[in-house]
Amino acid sequence: MNWIMDKTVEVPIDNNTQYSIIAEKLYKKIGKKEVLKGIDLKIKQGEIHVLAGHNGAGKTTLFRILAGLLKYDSGKLLVMGFDPSKNQNEIRKYLGYVPEDSSPYERLTGFENLKLFALIYSNGNESLAEKYIKKGAEISELSYEDLSRKTSEYSNGMKKRLLIARAIMHDPKLVLLDEPTNGLDVFSAYRIRKLIKTMSNSGTTFVIATHNMSEAEMLADKVSFIAYGTVLYSGSVKSAIEEFNSVNLEEAFIKAVGEKYEI
Amino acid sequence: MKNMKSKAIIWKELLDLSRDKRTLAAMILIPFIGLPAIAFLATGLTQTQTTTVYIEVLDRNSTNIAKYISYQLIQYAKINGLRVNVSMSNQAPSSVYNLLLIIPKGFYENISSIDGVGTVYLKSLVGSLQSSEVESIIESIIGQLENNIVTNRVQKLSNISGIKINSSNFLNPINIFTGYYLPSGKPASATQVELSLSARLLEFSLFFVANPAIVFMGDSILGEKERKTLETLISTPSSKTSLIIGKMIASIIIGLITAIADSLGVIIYLSMIAQNGLKLTAGLILVTFSVSALLVVMTAAIITPIVLRSSSVRSAQAMSYLIMMIALGIYFSTLFVDIQRLPYYIEDILLVIPFTHAALAISNYVLGQYLYMAVNFLVMIGFTLLGIYVSIKTFDSERLILSK
């Protein structure tokens, strides 16, 4: 089924500031396993781009590469105009990242968690840090009492909201959220999705990894289907549904992956 | 501005650890209270033992020798804080005794002649520590008795031969005068001799100083990985230098606090078990404190590259255990060995091990070798800088995140 691969656009690497992320034939091997097998991706500034994929598709590895935590083996990559394998520190100034399996410092209160990251993002500028903390507290929608408690006493939803608030309180240009609502109840998940929508309206680019297709449908301006380390499709939700002659994104994803890998 | 980010990390680390009350209590209070408690068990309880040692002095001839030995035995036991029950008889005892001294028939005649040999039999009950002490006392009393017998014999021979003999000189023809000197050749003062003994104990206590920094540094980095906070932290604009320095400084601060508690505990312990206490001077305390502080810093710096290559706190601890064993080996050997007096090929190997220089710095101070001490400090600083350099240069977020 080569036509699926044909949908992937060849992206010339340049410093075009219209794009937050430009990836071209990105390869990554971890141990003996080829995790990314030539990822091509173009994400515009200010869009909510959902990377939809099954478990083990390579989403987390891609995020870690985008955040400069892992190095890619070959291909080309620009994140906000910088190559993350060479300019991690430049990218991280403008980056907010919440890994899937992450936790706040549990012996610290919510405020103290915000303060640590505010001090790092503000380079120790206390008044700027105060501003970030205030904003973080607002974004988290946690009460003053809750923020004054140790996060070990938080529910999973509260922890996730704090982590997201901590990652975006400094107005990053790019936010990477890996499975942001995974394991949360319907109220917590709703609040987080609302938060992402609001932030996106102010020009922040969100890249969200999820295997929850209804969430992808609710959030995404653009969606990319990732399976077994390759991008099978990249475009709007509407065109994905049309393209795969489906009733919803979930069906479109299943068809895309099923036809390619004959599952 | 890197230091501002390090400052934030230090703040977090100290706050985080200050909330971990159980670990802090275990690291600080247990050695501080536990070690003196062990010393009390080792020494105090021994001294408060009230077991009575039952001694039978069996004199087959009922001579005054039995009375003399019994009297001396009671006096010496009193001085040594031992409780003894001495009874004399001329028949084999019917009850259980700890010690039995048998003076057989003919003993007095043998020792009274000019060249006769008297024989005594000393039998001890197996497994009694205090019996051993009393046994030594009896041997010492018999030694004195021998001295008196020989003096009498010399006097008799002197009278027979008409030659005037000083029996004390006759028995002790050689005088030994002992003295100590420093490696510089100058005579050592009594204080320096005492300090050199204290130095051995202080060098041994350095092991307890190095230990906490190893534990904290491992937890500081790999503990974050296990608590799922590391990935977010290293994705912030905090550089690897800020991260490593921040975590290192926090571990050093905590390491110093626990090292002080540990050292105090060890010093109290050593003071309690050392026979004449621990001789300390302001200078020795200052040098020991400086060496300890630098040792904490150096240990944290040396352990960091190892921690960064480990996959978990457990694997870091396994590697750290090896390092601790090396440190323990060196500091334990200082109790019995003079590193400077070892063959050059062994000394050279030991000098490559950073921990050796901490022990040498203390001994060089008490021996008045200040230049060598300065070199020891410089070597420790060198190892510290090397550890930091290697940590920063080889920091690999990929290895840290992916290693399992």
Side-chain angles (χ1 to χ4, degrees):
Chain A
M1 301 310 280
N2 287 336
W3 64 270
I4 294 170
M5 287 304 290
D6 293 341
K7 301 286 171 197
T8 309
V9 185
E10 286 285 317
V11 185
I13 294 288
D14 58 23
N15 280 319
N16 194 335
T17 50
Q18 192 190 345
Y19 292 99
S20 290
I21 295 167
I22 305 171
E24 189 182 280
K25 298 201 181 333
L26 216 55
Y27 277 85
K28 176 69 183 173
K29 204 172 174 183
I30 296 174
K32 286 177 182 173
K33 192 184 174 194
E34 273 186 82
V35 183
L36 302 184
K37 301 169 189 169
I39 293 278
D40 290 308
L41 198 63
K42 233 177 160 185
I43 298 174
K44 271 188 182 175
Q45 274 186 23
E47 80 180 20
I48 300 177
H49 196 109
V50 171
L51 300 177
H54 56 85
N55 291 333
K59 303 185 297 286
T60 298
T61 301
L62 179 59
F63 267 29
R64 285 172 170 170
I65 290 172
L66 295 174
L69 299 173
L70 306 186
K71 286 191 169 138
Y72 54 91
D73 298 331
S74 64
K76 288 175 183 174
L77 178 64
L78 286 180
V79 177
M80 289 174 288
F82 297 103
D83 182 346
S85 64
K86 292 171 190 157
N87 307 93
Q88 296 104 322
N89 286 345
E90 285 305 314
I91 292 169
R92 286 171 189 169
K93 282 181 198 167
Y94 309 106
L95 179 76
Y97 173 44
V98 182
E100 181 190 3
D101 200 13
S102 60
S103 173
Y105 292 101
E106 298 214 330
R107 282 195 285 263
L108 269 54
T109 66
F111 274 127
E112 286 161 350
N113 268 278
L114 293 174
K115 186 179 173 183
L116 169 67
F117 282 70
L119 285 170
I120 292 173
Y121 288 129
S122 67
N123 238 335
N125 180 333
E126 298 237 344
S127 60
L128 188 58
E130 279 300 316
K131 202 178 125 192
Y132 289 161
I133 295 167
K134 203 176 162 193
K135 190 167 177 199
E138 277 172 26
I139 295 168
S140 73
E141 294 185 357
L142 293 167
S143 68
Y144 182 86
E145 287 72 27
D146 284 337
L147 286 166
S148 305
R149 286 193 292 142
K150 283 185 200 170
T151 61
S152 56
E153 298 167 15
Y154 283 17
S155 67
N156 285 341
M158 289 163 82
K159 281 181 189 173
K160 205 69 157 187
R161 273 151 58 197
L162 181 72
L163 287 171
I164 293 173
R166 205 176 69 173
I168 61 180
M169 65 185 172
H170 62 299
D171 286 328
K173 289 180 180 168
L174 173 65
V175 178
L176 308 174
L177 303 177
D178 197 354
E179 306 283 0
T181 60
N182 197 14
L184 299 188
D185 64 50
V186 66
F187 297 103
S188 299
Y190 173 77
R191 275 180 148 159
I192 286 170
R193 282 196 288 270
K194 198 176 86 177
L195 176 69
I196 293 166
K197 282 278 186 194
T198 313
M199 281 289 292
S200 165
N201 290 337
S202 58
T204 309
T205 309
F206 278 86
V207 184
I208 298 162
T210 185
H211 54 252
N212 180 341
M213 295 304 149
S214 13
E215 179 169 273
E217 209 168 330
M218 279 187 264
L219 278 174
D221 295 324
K222 290 274 179 67
V223 64
S224 291
F225 293 160
I226 298 187
Y228 304 104
T230 54
V231 176
L232 302 179
Y233 170 85
S234 205
S236 70
V237 173
K238 196 180 162 196
S239 59
I241 294 168
E242 285 170 6
E243 196 77 57
F244 294 98
N245 197 20
S246 305
V247 290
N248 56 30
L249 196 64
E250 187 174 61
E251 195 181 319
F253 176 77
I254 289 169
K255 280 187 178 173
V257 177
E259 285 174 21
K260 168 76 177 164
Y261 294 100
E262 294 172 353
I263 297 169
Chain B
M1 295 299 275
K2 274 177 184 171
N3 60 338
M4 299 310 290
K5 286 166 187 160
S6 295
K7 217 170 142 184
I9 291 167
I10 296 166
W11 167 79
K12 188 279 291 180
E13 292 288 331
L14 296 180
L15 187 64
D16 197 15
L17 200 76
S18 69
R19 303 256 165 90
D20 189 1
K21 302 269 189 299
R22 278 186 201 168
T23 307
L24 273 185
M27 297 296 286
I28 297 172
L29 292 178
I30 290 175
F32 189 59
I33 297 168
L35 286 169
I38 292 168
F40 174 72
L41 285 172
T43 58
L45 288 185
T46 312
Q47 285 166 12
T48 56
Q49 281 185 124
T50 53
T51 314
T52 304
V53 181
Y54 291 90
I55 304 154
E56 282 279 346
V57 181
L58 178 62
D59 189 345
R60 300 285 190 195
N61 278 1
S62 303
T63 61
N64 283 334
I65 290 168
K67 278 183 193 164
Y68 170 80
I69 291 173
S70 302
Y71 174 77
Q72 293 289 334
L73 193 50
I74 291 163
Q75 298 307 312
Y76 273 101
K78 240 183 224 175
I79 295 165
N80 288 285
L82 294 164
R83 186 178 289 182
V84 294
N85 185 322
V86 185
S87 53
M88 290 182 292
S89 82
N90 53 11
Q91 287 174 4
S94 53
S95 57
V96 175
Y97 52 86
N98 295 97
L99 281 166
L100 174 65
L101 178 69
I102 303 169
I103 302 166
K105 273 186 181 172
F107 176 78
Y108 184 74
E109 286 74 18
N110 282 333
I111 62 166
S112 302
S113 69
I114 201 79
D115 60 352
V117 177
T119 305
V120 292
Y121 299 91
L122 187 58
K123 292 183 178 179
S124 304
L125 184 67
V126 175
S128 168
L129 281 175
Q130 286 192 312
S131 296
S132 307
E133 281 186 63
V134 177
E135 198 180 318
S136 307
I137 292 172
I138 292 173
E139 281 169 4
S140 164
I141 293 167
I142 289 174
Q144 276 182 18
L145 188 63
E146 278 182 315
N147 211 30
N148 293 342
I149 293 164
V150 174
T151 305
N152 281 334
R153 286 178 178 180
V154 169
Q155 207 53 56
K156 272 184 193 170
L157 288 171
S158 171
N159 293 341
I160 293 165
S161 65
I163 302 167
K164 201 177 175 187
I165 298 170
N166 180 320
S167 37
S168 172
N169 288 353
F170 185 83
L171 289 169
N172 303 293
I174 298 171
N175 277 335
I176 303 171
F177 291 101
T178 54
Y180 294 93
Y181 70 97
L182 298 168
S184 61
K186 290 178 184 169
S189 67
T191 309
Q192 279 172 314
V193 174
E194 285 178 304
L195 286 181
S196 68
L197 294 172
S198 299
R200 281 186 189 278
L201 298 174
L202 291 172
E203 286 162 22
F204 170 64
S205 75
L206 289 176
F207 170 68
F208 298 92
V209 172
N211 192 19
I214 295 174
V215 175
F216 285 122
M217 201 61 217
D219 183 71
S220 170
I221 294 174
L222 295 167
E224 284 229 21
K225 184 181 170 185
E226 290 180 4
R227 291 187 286 272
K228 297 168 184 172
T229 53
L230 185 68
E231 198 170 335
T232 323
L233 184 65
I234 58 177
S235 68
T236 64
S238 163
S239 68
K240 57 186 178 183
T241 309
S242 310
L243 189 77
I244 289 167
I245 297 290
K247 286 193 170 283
M248 213 179 266
I249 291 174
S251 297
I252 288 166
I253 292 170
I254 302 291
L256 275 176
I257 294 168
T258 49
I260 289 169
D262 286 2
S263 301
L264 284 175
V266 172
I267 287 169
I268 294 168
Y269 171 78
L270 294 174
S271 303
M272 287 170 82
I273 60 163
Q275 280 186 333
N276 299 315
L278 202 61
K279 174 83 178 174
L280 295 169
T281 59
L284 183 57
I285 292 170
L286 184 67
V287 168
T288 306
F289 183 77
S290 308
V291 167
S292 301
L294 191 50
L295 179 61
V296 170
V297 176
M298 184 183 77
T299 307
I302 290 171
I303 206 75
T304 305
I306 295 166
V307 168
L308 291 172
R309 273 164 187 71
S310 305
S311 56
S312 63
V313 173
R314 196 182 294 171
S315 69
Q317 277 171 349
M319 279 305 294
S320 306
Y321 186 68
L322 184 69
I323 304 266
M324 282 193 283
M325 284 300 104
I326 294 170
L328 179 63
I330 287 170
Y331 297 136
F332 191 67
S333 68
T334 56
L335 284 174
F336 315 103
V337 175
D338 286 329
I339 292 171
Q340 297 100 323
R341 312 278 173 274
L342 290 169
Y344 71 92
Y345 54 89
I346 298 177
E347 193 189 348
D348 287 353
I349 292 169
L350 290 177
L351 288 176
V352 177
I353 301 169
F355 299 110
T356 309
H357 294 271
L360 285 178
I362 294 177
S363 59
N364 280 329
Y365 169 75
V366 295
L367 296 174
Q369 301 185 114
Y370 302 121
L371 189 63
Y372 286 130
M373 182 186 74
V375 171
N376 295 136
F377 272 97
L378 286 174
V379 171
M380 289 173 77
I381 292 168
F383 274 115
T384 305
L385 296 175
L386 183 67
I388 295 170
Y389 177 80
V390 172
S391 303
I392 293 168
K393 282 289 165 193
T394 60
F395 179 90
D396 183 357
S397 58
E398 181 157 337
R399 185 201 295 262
L400 209 51
I401 291 169
L402 296 179
S403 59
K404 282 177 186 166

